[in-house]
């Protein structure tokens, strides 16, 4: 297998690694000489995590420092030592250690991290997550949480349940807060070098530099490269490799006991062949052999043209993703390129992928004519200032700026056609041997398609809060919050280039040039550039950008110590969300004046605007404002009981809120209605979601701190849960109502010195309310033989009455009379009919996506003292999650089977000399579960992109601390 590092540019990779290694090496040598014989910095001491007590992590989940066992909310916390020993080095690992959480990657380079069934199930540029990701209390909406490494962390906290009365950003599901190590007044640091399978090389380190009595600087970073987890079996090249790095600098100014400030800048970058979409699965749909007892006559008609059957396939059939036939390829006739190509004779109805082509079953391997390309950048700056106005009043300011960008490209169909184009008629003369000269994909007689996905955003944030620490029974915390998140105008872009599109555009322009009229209504401008510049109409181009979310909020909490053992917390938040959006028309086969203008008049096919001079005249501005009040109440009781050392019982109610947004416009050509979402028959916007959360919990410490037993039960009334589906090549976001309830247990026990067992068990029940139904794009007819699926001229799916050969106006009647295949969409129920777009499926009682009923995590750790200086710590973790569903329809193709994961580490630690050596393995038994599914549009044939875990990885790392 070719090294993925070589694909990425070996000189650049090795240069970065060598530079970072040299810097850290020099610092390590200097540090060991200058501080020989001294203990390592406290942040890195005891990295094995050994001890006789458990649960002594200090957290700030309630915006004040307190022991985890004294915090009356459901929160999981991990110290730096715990993160290292458990090998929790990225966001994808957290579900292994937190009950009722779930994680999967998603289709456009993102991820869905869920807490108690709540996460991000909308696919839109302006959408927000139900789980807030924060760094040092700063909310970061567009982040690399799923990709980057948790390096140089003081601790990590995950709060479960609605947030908002303490956090700057409100969230319905919970919040993750990454707390980085801050500078201190001593010279210290560490350097780690690790090597693993897949030729993985990771260099990590930090150095703390005192610059005087009042100023200190900390610099930390990492560089991670490895070959691909999979192989492109068509090109025989590695794919899904890693080449990422980050550097963080923090400058701290502490002039007095009353004032403390630090300024942090963090850069993250990645440029590699990470597989954004992973595996593509499809149970190929050949189309019906007969309709209502009338033969469809096959894909190819009597005169070599496309036959009826070619216009009756939906591309992929519903069915279990765990059967061998799911590793097939989409029927090309069901795609928009296939439909138009068949109509114009660019192809004759032959399924270009072949009758039954199968991929291999390794979810990390792909079959692609184009190598994946993945690039991500992020710059985060944060200024944190804290001033004690008095001994009992502290003013805190958090100012943040984040800029992120993403750029990626993939082979769109992830299967290589086995059969060349079969042109007929005039198309045979235009494309000899089926070869189409496409500026973007080159000249070939095989179907070639790839996508481009880009996004750029920036976010400004300011939070100001005042907190008291009076000796009396009443205290408070109050603050204000402002954020402005903007996507750069036009930067959000999803483009699909295909020689099938270009072939149709060429045919259209030639026919129109002969004076016979343009089949597509006018000339089509073909972009001559490679890569495409977004100025042509021979590719699908869905743009966004220019949308802005401004959020203003005032929040606060009052704490009343009713008795020494009883404390009441009341909190409230008033939020104003102002969302502004600019709708760009979706582009494909849109005609321009005389067919010669790449920009001016480019959007002439877009309704509701003149569109004769520039893009700006075609944009449709939208705006909406949400004003919502939310809050929480928490009652904490610390009784004195004889059978525990310490017990905390709490009951709480919280109301969570997440804003709504806009649906995207639909296709504006090929007979589609085009224009705004309303013009295509679905809502212009989707509504906010709300959660009323009730929770009862208890935390117990026993046996002198050697045993902790924590549990809670919760009930959520989920109003307006936001989900996405893809219709007419556009994202449609909808709202439904549901109920969620469950219970969680977390415990740790140290029966002997240096021996610890821990467990986390979660039970989750989610249920969609009755009386709600939506059309399932994968099964429009809901298996009802009275209806037949038909492709329209713009490759969307519609339903027609099946009927029979003697019933006028039915599908069977049209086919029996030899009605032209090009006009089959005339069979369908008329626009506006509730049956045209499908039979609504009842969702009542279904479970929410990616919400397994049970999650279980068990761990064991033992430290053996080898000598006065060396110890060895063996750690093992087992995780299991139950079956779940990929979509709200809970159909046969939505099943996600249960899976397990096993990790282990063996760490040799020499605390006096600041040395440690770790051997580790993750996903020990190489599990390849399907963790998530993305169902594509009807016009792409309804293939499903699936996602899985990283395969088994193992390695060794050496750390020097000083």
């Amino acid at each position: 297998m070719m090294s993925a590092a070589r694909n990425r540019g070996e000189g650049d990779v090795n240069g970065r690694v060598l530079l970072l290694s040299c810097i850290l090496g020099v610092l390590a040598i200097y540090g060991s000489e200058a501080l020989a014989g001294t203990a390592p910095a406290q942040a890195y001491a005891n990295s094995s995590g050994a001890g006789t007590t458990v649960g002594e992590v200090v957290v700030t989940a309630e915006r004040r420092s307190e022991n985890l066992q004294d915090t009356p909310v459901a929160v999981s916390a991990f110290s730096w030592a715990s993160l290292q020993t458990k090998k929790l080095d990225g966001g994808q690992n957290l579900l292994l250690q937190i009950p009722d959480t779930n994680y999967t990657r998603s289709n456009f380079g993102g991820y869905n991290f869920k807490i108690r069934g709540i996460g991000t199930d909308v696919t839109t540029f302006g959408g927000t997550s139900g789980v807030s990701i924060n760094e040092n209390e700063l909310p970061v909406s567009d982040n690399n949480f799923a990709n980057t490494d948790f390096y140089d962390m003081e601790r990590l906290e995950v709060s479960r349940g609605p947030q908002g009365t303490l956090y700057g950003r409100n969230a319905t599901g919970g919040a993750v807060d990454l707390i980085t190590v801050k500078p201190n007044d001593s010279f210290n640091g560490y350097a780690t070098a690790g090597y693993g399978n897949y030729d993985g090389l990771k260099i990590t380190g930090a150095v703390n530099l005192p610059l005087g009595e009042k100023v200190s600087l900390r610099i930390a970073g990492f560089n991670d490269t490895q070959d691909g987890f999979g192989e492109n079996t068509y090109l025989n090249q590695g794919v899904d490799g890693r080449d990422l790095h980050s550097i963080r600098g923090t400058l701290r100014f502490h002039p007095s006991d009353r004032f403390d400030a630090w300024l942090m800048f963090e850069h993250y970058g990645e440029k590699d062949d990470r597989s954004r979409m992973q595996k593509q699965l499809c149970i190929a749909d050949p189309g019906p052999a007969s309709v209502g007892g009338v033969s469809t006559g096959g894909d190819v008609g009597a005169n070599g043209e496309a036959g009826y059957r070619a216009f009756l396939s939906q591309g992929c059939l519903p069915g279990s993703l765990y059967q061998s036939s799911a590793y097939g390829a989409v029927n090309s006739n069901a795609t928009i390129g296939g439909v138009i190509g068949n109509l114009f004779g660019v192809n004759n109805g032959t399924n270009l992928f072949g009758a039954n082509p199968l991929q291999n079953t390794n979810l990390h391997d792909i079959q692609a004519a184009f190598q994946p390309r993945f690039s991500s950048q992020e710059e985060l700056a944060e200024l944190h200032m804290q001033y004690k106005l008095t001994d009992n009043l502290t003013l805190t300011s958090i100012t943040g700026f984040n800029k992120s960008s993403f750029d990626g490209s993939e082979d769109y169909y992830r299967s290589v056609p086995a059969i060349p184009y079969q042109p007929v008629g005039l198309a045979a003369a235009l494309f000899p041997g089926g070869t189409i000269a496409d500026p973007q994909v080159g000249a070939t007689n095989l179907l070639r398609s790839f996508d481009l996905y880009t996004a750029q955003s920036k976010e400004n944030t300011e939070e100001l809060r005042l907190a008291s620490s009076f000796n009396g029974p009443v205290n408070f915390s109050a603050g204000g919050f402002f954020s402005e998140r903007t996507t750069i105008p036009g930067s959000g872009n999803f483009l699909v280039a295909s020689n099938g599109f270009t072939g149709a555009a060429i045919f259209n322009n030639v026919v129109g040039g002969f004076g016979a009229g343009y089949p597509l209504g006018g000339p089509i401008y073909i972009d001559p550039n490679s890569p495409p510049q977004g100025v042509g109409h021979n590719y699908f181009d869905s743009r966004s950008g220019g949308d802005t979310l401004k959020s203003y909020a005032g929040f606060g909490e009052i704490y009343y110590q009713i008795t020494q053992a009883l404390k009441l917390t009341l909190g409230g938040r008033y939020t104003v969300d102002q969302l502004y959006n600019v709708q760009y028309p979706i582009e494909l086969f849109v005609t321009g004046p005389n067919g010669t203008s790449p920009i001016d008049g480019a959007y002439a096919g877009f309704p509701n605007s003149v569109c004769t001079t520039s893009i700006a005249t075609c944009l449709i501005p939208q705006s909406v404002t949400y004003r919502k009040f939310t809050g929480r109440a928490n009652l904490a009781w610390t009784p004195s009981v004889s059978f525990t050392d310490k017990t905390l019982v709490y009951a709480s109610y919280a109301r969570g809120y997440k804003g709504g947004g806009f649906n995207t416009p639909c296709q504006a050509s090929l007979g589609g209605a085009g224009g705004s979402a309303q013009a295509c028959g679905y809502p212009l916007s989707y509504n906010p979601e709300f959660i009323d959360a009730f929770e009862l919990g208890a935390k117990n410490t026993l046996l002198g701190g050697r045993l902790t037993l924590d549990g809670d039960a919760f009930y959520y009334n989920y109003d307006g849960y936001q989900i996405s589906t893809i219709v007419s090549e556009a994202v449609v976001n909808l709202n439904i109502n549901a109920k969620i309830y469950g219970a969680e247990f977390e415990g740790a026990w140290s029966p002997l010195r240096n021996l610890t067992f821990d467990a986390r068990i979660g039970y989750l029940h989610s249920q969609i309310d009755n009386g709600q139904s939506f059309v399932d794009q994968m099964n429009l007819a809901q298996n009802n033989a009275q209806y037949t699926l038909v492709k329209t001229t713009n490759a969307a799916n519609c339903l027609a009455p099946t009927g029979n050969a003697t019933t006028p106006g039915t599908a069977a009647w049209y086919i029996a009379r030899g009605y032209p295949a090009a006009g089959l969409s005339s069979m369908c129920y008329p626009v506006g009919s509730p049956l045209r777009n499908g039979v609504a499926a009842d969702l009542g009682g279904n479970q929410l996506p990616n919400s397994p009923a049970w999650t279980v995590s068990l761990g064991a750790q033992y430290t053996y003292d080898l000598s006065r200086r060396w110890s060895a710590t063996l750690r093992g973790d087992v995780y299991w999650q139950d079956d779940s569903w990929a979509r709200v329809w809970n159909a046969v193709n939505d099943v996600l089977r249960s899976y397990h994961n096993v990790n282990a580490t063996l760490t040799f630690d020499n605390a006096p000399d600041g040395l440690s050596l770790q051997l580790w393995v993750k996903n020990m038994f190489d599990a390849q579960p399907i963790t998530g599914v993305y169902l594509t549009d009807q016009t792409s044939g309804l293939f499903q992109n699936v996602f899985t875990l990283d395969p088994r990885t193992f390695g060794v790392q050496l750390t020097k601390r000083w």
Side-chain angles (χ1 to χ4, degrees), residues 29 75 108 143 153 161 193 233 252 269 373 380 525 719 751 766 781 904 928 941 952:
I29 294 171
V75 57
F108 298 102
N143 55 73
M153 290 287 156
T233 59
R252 186 172 188 176
R373 179 175 58 80
L380 174 66
Y525 182 80
D719 182 14
S766 62
Q928 286 192 38
R952 176 174 52 238

Side-chain angles (χ1 to χ4, degrees), residues 8 12-13 16 143-145 147-149 151 220-226 241-248 265-274 374-380 402-407:
R8 297 187 295 266
D12 178 61
V13 173
R16 278 208 310 266
N143 55 73
N144 282 281
F145 172 75
N147 301 335
T148 191
D149 189 86
Y151 70 98
F222 82 93
N223 192 95
D224 187 7
T225 61
Q226 69 178 33
R242 303 290 185 270
D243 183 0
L244 50 150
H245 64 276
S246 181
I247 188 166
R248 179 192 307 134
F265 176 80
E266 182 177 88
H267 164 80
Y268 170 85
E270 178 173 2
K271 189 173 184 180
D272 48 39
D273 54 20
R274 182 194 291 268
F374 188 98
S375 178
S376 181
Q377 302 283 331
E378 183 179 357
E379 278 79 39
L380 174 66
N402 186 56
K403 183 178 180 180
S404 66
S405 63
F406 175 85
D407 182 10

Side-chain angles (χ1 to χ4, degrees), residues 270-292:
E270 178 173 2
K271 189 173 184 180
D272 48 39
D273 54 20
R274 182 194 291 268
S275 192
R276 190 188 84 225
M277 299 188 305
Q278 296 193 328
K279 199 80 166 185
Q280 188 171 108
L281 301 186
C282 174
I283 303 171
D285 177 17
S290 64
V291 173

Side-chain angles (χ1 to χ4, degrees), residues 734 771-784 787 799 833-844 846 888-889:
L734 304 168
Q772 299 175 99
S773 60
F774 291 114
V775 171
D776 180 0
Q777 303 301 316
M778 193 66 167
N779 190 355
L780 290 192
Q782 286 298 296
N783 304 314
N784 191 327
Y787 310 114
L799 288 185
S833 168
L835 287 174
R836 178 179 176 87
N837 295 323
V839 177
D842 182 18
L843 300 180
N846 287 1
V888 294
W889 285 272

Side-chain angles (χ1 to χ4, degrees), residues 12 66 72 111 121 188 214 232 247 292 298 535-536 544 546 550 665 853 923:
D12 178 61
E66 57 188 344
Y111 63 93
D121 289 317
N188 60 75
K214 306 180 189 312
N232 184 342
I247 188 166
V535 296
S544 71
K550 291 184 179 180
N923 193 5

Side-chain angles (χ1 to χ4, degrees), residues 64 153 187 210 259 323 356 367 413 417 478 500 535 625 799 876 927 938:
R64 58 186 178 274
M153 290 287 156
F187 177 79
F259 183 70
Q323 58 185 300
N356 190 31
Q367 185 188 90
Y413 287 112
V535 296
T625 299
L799 288 185
Q938 304 168 349

